[in-house]
Amino acid sequence: TSSGTTMSLPDIASAVRLSDVHFDLINFDACYMGMYETAYEFSDLTDYMVFSEEVTPGDGDPYNTILTALTEGADMSGDELATLTSSLYIEFYRDQGRYLAAKSAIDMAMIPELHIALTELAAMITVEKSTEQTALQYARDNSLSCKNRPTYHDLKDLLGKMYSASTSAGIREKISELQAILAETVLSNEVFSPNAADAVLGLGGLSIYLPRRSQVTDEELSQYDLLACNQAKDSSGNTWGDLIDILIDV
């Protein structure tokens, strides 16, 4: 920006909220926005959200084809526009064949349910941390993370790795519940890479923050604590940020 500063995620959400407009669709044409944390910040502001877990190539969204399709089908619903936006985005970069591209469409009605289940999982792992901490560390260290953003882990892959490593029947049951919620949350998930063996092709449509101690500063953790998802705690007072703190402190 011209001032040399950027707006925080809560600042952007606050600006949208002050508009007093509830949107059918919010589309982020920016890198690495496809996160649980982003979705929760806007959960009461839009019905659908489109964004990328990965880097967005310099050309951004193909607005000509997206807006042409919208003009020709002005009566399309928000979910139709959301899935169309993700498919036209990937089609644009697939035709070029040069860039990695990812775009997902999210049903925001599912985000509160996803958030509750994640905070409940955080609480369960906290209670059983003496045995489950190792499983969480394994999932963190072996799950798919975003290129150039190693602290952003694909949520679908992370949950799968946690399920495989956990020894707790209760936690595995909660993870299964989360996997089902996530499947309903992600309406469309499309990824392209010119490298057919690229691990990024396994992205599931939504990422989540899970850093190692060496990857994060205390200031960054303090900023993370300010996000809406870390203000809305579960009944026992836990958030995903609390689970991060458990790993950071060891």
Side-chain angles (χ1 to χ4, degrees):
T1 63
S2 58
S3 65
T5 61
T6 57
M7 292 178 71
S8 68
L9 195 60
D11 286 343
I12 298 171
S14 176
V16 175
R17 189 169 288 108
L18 288 171
S19 73
D20 201 28
V21 175
H22 185 88
F23 290 88
D24 291 332
L25 169 66
I26 292 178
N27 171 37
F28 278 105
D29 189 2
C31 302
Y32 306 115
M33 297 300 290
M35 303 187 73
Y36 145 72
E37 291 86 350
T38 303
Y40 192 80
E41 201 74 34
F42 291 81
S43 60
D44 61 335
L45 300 174
T46 182
D47 295 331
Y48 302 96
M49 182 166 280
V50 177
F51 44 26
S52 176
E53 281 191 79
E54 263 296 343
V55 65
T56 298
D59 288 339
D61 285 349
Y63 290 104
N64 56 334
T65 55
I66 294 170
L67 295 177
T68 295
L70 180 58
T71 300
E72 294 174 350
D75 60 344
M76 73 173 68
S77 62
D79 62 324
E80 289 173 330
L81 180 57
T83 55
L84 181 66
T85 299
S86 65
S87 63
L88 289 177
Y89 177 91
I90 294 301
E91 181 181 302
F92 178 74
Y93 288 106
R94 184 181 289 117
D95 288 347
Q96 294 188 36
R98 294 182 296 154
Y99 304 106
L100 160 71
K103 202 80 159 178
S104 52
I106 303 297
D107 182 355
M108 296 292 282
M110 295 299 299
I111 292 300
E113 188 174 349
L114 180 72
H115 169 74
I116 289 171
L118 276 168
T119 57
E120 289 174 345
L121 176 63
M124 293 173 72
I125 295 176
T126 299
V127 170
E128 300 185 51
K129 64 181 180 181
S130 61
T131 55
E132 290 302 304
Q133 184 173 290
T134 300
L136 182 58
Q137 288 173 318
Y138 171 85
R140 178 199 61 192
D141 296 342
N142 292 277
S143 59
L144 180 61
S145 60
C146 299
K147 294 181 185 291
N148 302 316
R149 288 292 188 278
T151 59
Y152 297 1
H153 293 260
D154 181 74
L155 183 54
K156 180 180 179 180
D157 193 46
L158 179 70
L159 290 173
K161 296 293 195 300
M162 288 175 66
Y163 186 93
S164 297
S166 176
T167 59
S168 166
I171 286 176
R172 286 163 68 96
E173 182 178 353
K174 179 59 65 176
I175 291 172
S176 293
E177 177 188 335
L178 263 165
Q179 289 170 323
I181 294 170
L182 182 62
E184 288 190 58
T185 302
V186 179
L187 295 175
S188 173
N189 172 50
E190 304 200 41
V191 187
F192 169 75
S193 173
N195 175 10
D198 197 332
V200 78
L201 293 171
L203 289 174
L206 202 63
S207 59
I208 195 167
Y209 189 59
L210 191 60
R212 300 184 183 92
R213 172 75 267 187
S214 61
Q215 294 173 320
V216 68
T217 66
D218 289 341
E219 174 61 23
E220 288 168 337
L221 290 173
S222 295
Q223 292 299 313
Y224 185 75
D225 286 342
L226 297 176
L227 297 181
C229 63
N230 292 315
Q231 305 304 309
K233 302 176 182 291
D234 87 320
S235 59
S236 60
N238 284 269
T239 67
W240 187 258
D242 294 322
L243 199 57
I244 289 174
D245 290 340
I246 288 175
L247 291 188
I248 291 298
D249 288 340
V250 296

